[in-house]
Amino acid sequence: MKAQTAQRTAIPQNAAHPSFHRHEPAPRLSRAAAVVPLRSEEEGYQQRFGQHVHLFREGDDATRIYELVDGAVMLYKLLPDGRRQVVELIGAGDVFGISAIPVYECSAETLVPGQAIVHDRAVVERSPELFRRLSAHLQAQFCAMHEHAVLLGRKSALERVASFVMQCVPGRGGYGCPGPRGGDNSINVRLGMTRQEIADYLGLTIETVSRAFSELRRRGIVMIGKQEQVLVKDICRMCKLTGAH
Amino acid sequence: MKAQTAQRTAIPQNAAHPSFHRHEPAPRLSRAAAVVPLRSEEEGYQQRFGQHVHLFREGDDATRIYELVDGAVMLYKLLPDGRRQVVELIGAGDVFGISAIPVYECSAETLVPGQAIVHDRAVVERSPELFRRLSAHLQAQFCAMHEHAVLLGRKSALERVASFVMQCVPGRGGYGCPGPRGGDNSINVRLGMTRQEIADYLGLTIETVSRAFSELRRRGIVMIGKQEQVLVKDICRMCKLTGAH
DNA sequence: CGATTATTTGAAATCGCTCAAGTTGGGTGG
DNA sequence: CCACCCAACTTGAGCGATTTCAAATAATCG
C-alpha cells in the first residue's frame, strides 16, 4: 500500500484518509534491503543499498553525511497531518545529510539501488579537504533548490511536469544548452519515480501529474512506456513548456 | 510603480499586463542609493546600502560573495513572462552570491538598509578558513530552503502567511521553541516587506496575502499597524496555523 | 493638502483537488 | 501459459481555494 499524500486544499477531510503518510510510513518492501559496508578508509566507508530504503529519517541523530556515488535518493519532509513534500532529489555526486541542528531535518529514501560514501559528521568537520569537496558540491545543489522554489511557487501543473521531465534529460534545458542542432531532439528517459513521488516532488496530486502526462502524450510530445520510461519525442517543445524559455 | 507579478494560473492573459515584472524591472527609487565601500582588508570590504538597492542581478558575472552583517536582502528569480519568485530571504549572518555557474542565477535586492562584507569569489576559494566559515552558515540556509519548499508545495494560503509571520518572531516556532511559558505570548514585528514581496516569497498573489492578513485580524490573532508593523497577539495560536504543529 | 502608490475588498472565473470508478501491468500460483 | 490479484495509474465529474479583474479605501510623500 503506497502512501498517499494530502493536498493543501483538502486539509480537513483528508487528514484522516487511511492511505495517508504517517510519521512512520508503512514499510515498503525493498527489493534489496541488504546494506553492506564495503570498505573502510579514513574518508568514510561505502555503502550499497537497494530500492526504497530509508537511509535516515527526520529526527534521527544527524551523525552522518552522505555522498552519493551512484543511484538516486529523495529527501522529503512530512507535515503532522501527513502531507509530504519531496524537498530535494539527490543524484550521483550530490551530498546529503547536512543539518544545522543535531538531528536530521528531513528523511532520505532511495529511489533506485545505488551506493554512497558515508562520512562521519565530526570527521568532515575536522578534514578541510573533505569539507571543501562536499561544500563545493552543495553550491550546485543550492542553485537547484532555488530553481525548484520557482517551480513550486510560480509554475502551472503542466509546466512543473515538463520541468521535471527536462531535469531527467542530461545536458539540455540548463545553462549552456546546445539546443536541437547537432544532437538528437528525442531521448528515452527513465524517471525512476512513481507518480506519487513525482507529485510530492512537484507539489501536486497524483491525479494532476497523471493528467499532465496524458496531455503531453495527446500533444505528441512524449510516449509513455512501461516501468517509468518516457520517450521524449521533441525535447525542444518540451523545454518550451517548462515556462523557463 | 511597483512591479506586479504573474500567477501560475494566469499565464496567457496576464503576460501582457502593464505592471508585470520585466527582465529589467522598473527602477525603484532607493532612499539611499549610495553604496559606499568602507574599509579594505584582506578578507574583503564592507559595503553599506540603502533600501531597494540591487546588489546584483541574474546573469551578472558572479565575481563576489556576500556576507550580510546587518539588514535584509531578498534573492529572487524571474520567469521570462514576468512571474517572480523570491527564492530566499537573507538575514544577518547569511551568505549569498553563491553560484554553480559563472553568472549569478538570481537577483539580490535589499529590503531594508544594511551592510555586508563583500568577498572576492576567487579569494574565498583560496582561503580555507573563510571558505569554512561561509559554508558552515550555508548549511543553516539549506535547511531553511527545505522548509520553504514544504511551504510552497504543500501549505494553504493561510498557513503560508502564518508561517511567514512566525519566521519574523525570533526564537519561536523552530527547533527548541520554549512555548508560551515564561516569555511573552505577543510581540510586535516589523515585516520589512511589501505585500507584493511577501506574495512573491510565498508563491501567492498580493490579494490572497492581503485576505490572509485580514482573516488573521478578524480572528483576533494579529493587529495590523502601519509601516509593515504587525502585532502578533497570540504567538501560539499563530504557530498552530502554520500547519507545522 | 493633493497626487500617487499600496492595500483592501468584492465578484466571477479557473486551475487543481477530491472523490469515485475504471484500466493497466506485473507478479503469482495453478 | 493463463487466470487471478494487487498496486499503480488513468479518467471523469463536481467542487473549492486561489487567482483574476475591478473598484474602493488607506497610506505615503512631496
Side-chain angles (χ1 to χ4, degrees):
Chain A
M1 161 207 347
K2 187 56 179 41
Q4 174 87 15
T5 306
Q7 289 313 310
R8 82 177 97 113
T9 48
I11 299 135
Q13 50 271 53
N14 271 30
H17 193 286
S19 60
F20 238 55
H21 276 292
R22 283 289 131 217
H23 272 101
E24 217 49 36
R28 223 165 112 171
L29 281 188
S30 58
R31 296 177 207 170
V35 166
V36 185
L38 282 189
R39 62 191 171 115
S40 225
E41 56 179 285
E42 60 128 0
E43 275 218 340
Y45 60 96
Q46 214 160 53
Q47 174 177 322
R48 280 184 195 283
F49 42 71
Q51 199 166 21
H52 305 307
V53 177
H54 270 90
L55 269 16
F56 54 79
R57 286 176 201 268
E58 205 169 333
D60 288 353
D61 283 340
T63 54
R64 299 190 186 83
I65 291 174
Y66 295 76
E67 199 179 357
L68 195 63
V69 175
D70 189 62
V73 171
M74 66 174 174
L75 306 185
Y76 67 85
K77 287 170 81 90
L78 294 174
L79 290 175
D81 65 2
R83 285 174 284 177
R84 182 173 76 162
Q85 177 65 42
V86 174
V87 295
E88 210 178 341
L89 289 185
I90 302 294
D94 288 339
V95 176
F96 61 105
I98 300 291
S99 187
I101 55 177
V103 297
Y104 292 119
E105 42 90 41
C106 61
S107 305
E109 183 182 339
T110 61
L111 292 166
V112 297
Q115 49 193 324
I117 302 174
V118 184
H119 302 281
D120 192 90
R121 189 182 184 176
V123 170
V124 173
E125 296 293 334
R126 269 185 265 111
S127 161
E129 197 42 58
L130 181 55
F131 184 84
R132 163 175 296 274
R133 192 178 85 222
L134 299 186
S135 294
H137 215 280
L138 279 181
Q139 298 185 7
Q141 292 172 243
F142 223 73
C143 297
M145 291 190 56
H146 284 170
E147 191 65 41
H148 197 234
V150 175
L151 179 148
L152 292 173
R154 292 303 182 205
K155 289 191 180 178
S156 72
L158 194 63
E159 287 174 331
R160 293 183 200 204
V161 173
S163 301
F164 171 69
V165 173
M166 285 304 297
Q167 268 189 39
C168 302
V169 178
R172 293 296 288 276
Y175 182 77
C177 169
R181 64 171 182 272
D184 248 336
N185 198 34
S186 75
I187 192 175
N188 200 2
V189 297
R190 171 90 193 272
L191 300 183
M193 296 170 78
T194 66
R195 292 284 184 274
Q196 183 63 59
E197 288 159 351
I198 295 170
D200 288 345
Y201 179 55
L202 300 180
L204 300 169
T205 58
I206 185 173
E207 296 95 332
T208 299
V209 171
S210 182
R211 275 185 254 268
F213 274 116
S214 297
E215 177 63 24
L216 292 172
R217 179 169 40 70
R218 226 169 288 132
R219 296 194 193 179
I221 298 172
V222 301
M223 281 176 59
I224 310 295
K226 322 192 170 180
Q227 299 215 133
E228 304 164 350
Q229 296 272 341
V230 173
L231 172 62
V232 185
K233 292 159 72 178
D234 189 338
I235 295 179
C236 277
R237 203 136 79 90
M238 178 70 84
C239 200
K240 291 197 187 81
L241 286 178
T242 63
H245 305 289
Chain B
M1 156 206 357
K2 186 56 181 43
Q4 173 88 14
T5 306
Q7 290 313 311
R8 80 177 99 111
T9 50
I11 299 134
Q13 49 269 57
N14 272 28
H17 194 287
S19 59
F20 239 54
H21 276 293
R22 285 286 131 219
H23 271 100
E24 217 51 33
R28 221 163 112 168
L29 279 188
S30 57
R31 295 175 209 173
V35 167
V36 185
L38 282 190
R39 63 191 170 113
S40 226
E41 55 179 285
E42 59 128 1
E43 273 217 344
Y45 60 95
Q46 215 161 49
Q47 175 177 320
R48 279 185 196 283
F49 43 70
Q51 199 166 23
H52 305 309
V53 177
H54 270 90
L55 269 18
F56 55 79
R57 286 175 201 270
E58 204 170 333
D60 289 353
D61 285 340
T63 55
R64 298 189 185 84
I65 291 173
Y66 295 76
E67 198 179 358
L68 195 63
V69 174
D70 188 62
V73 171
M74 65 174 175
L75 305 184
Y76 67 84
K77 289 171 80 92
L78 295 173
L79 290 175
D81 64 4
R83 283 174 286 177
R84 181 173 76 161
Q85 178 65 43
V86 174
V87 295
E88 210 179 341
L89 289 186
I90 302 294
D94 288 340
V95 176
F96 62 104
I98 301 292
S99 188
I101 54 177
V103 297
Y104 292 119
E105 42 90 41
C106 60
S107 304
E109 184 181 340
T110 62
L111 291 166
V112 296
Q115 50 193 324
I117 302 174
V118 185
H119 302 281
D120 193 89
R121 188 182 185 176
V123 170
V124 173
E125 296 293 333
R126 268 185 266 111
S127 161
E129 197 43 57
L130 181 56
F131 185 84
R132 162 176 295 276
R133 193 178 84 223
L134 300 186
S135 294
H137 214 282
L138 278 181
Q139 298 185 7
Q141 293 172 244
F142 222 72
C143 296
M145 292 191 55
H146 283 170
E147 191 65 41
H148 198 233
V150 175
L151 180 149
L152 292 174
R154 291 302 181 205
K155 289 191 180 179
S156 71
L158 194 64
E159 288 173 331
R160 293 183 202 204
V161 172
S163 301
F164 171 69
V165 173
M166 284 305 297
Q167 269 189 39
C168 301
V169 178
R172 294 295 290 276
Y175 182 76
C177 170
R181 63 169 182 273
D184 249 336
N185 199 34
S186 75
I187 192 176
N188 200 1
V189 297
R190 171 90 192 271
L191 301 183
M193 297 171 76
T194 66
R195 291 286 183 273
Q196 183 62 60
E197 286 159 352
I198 295 170
D200 288 346
Y201 178 55
L202 300 180
L204 300 169
T205 58
I206 184 173
E207 295 96 331
T208 300
V209 170
S210 181
R211 276 185 253 267
F213 273 116
S214 298
E215 177 64 24
L216 291 172
R217 179 169 40 71
R218 241 184 317 265
R219 297 195 193 179
I221 297 172
V222 300
M223 281 177 56
I224 309 294
K226 320 193 168 178
Q227 297 213 133
E228 304 165 351
Q229 295 274 341
V230 172
L231 172 61
V232 185
K233 292 160 71 178
D234 190 337
I235 296 180
C236 278
R237 203 136 78 90
M238 178 70 85
C239 201
K240 291 196 187 82
L241 287 177
T242 64
H245 306 290

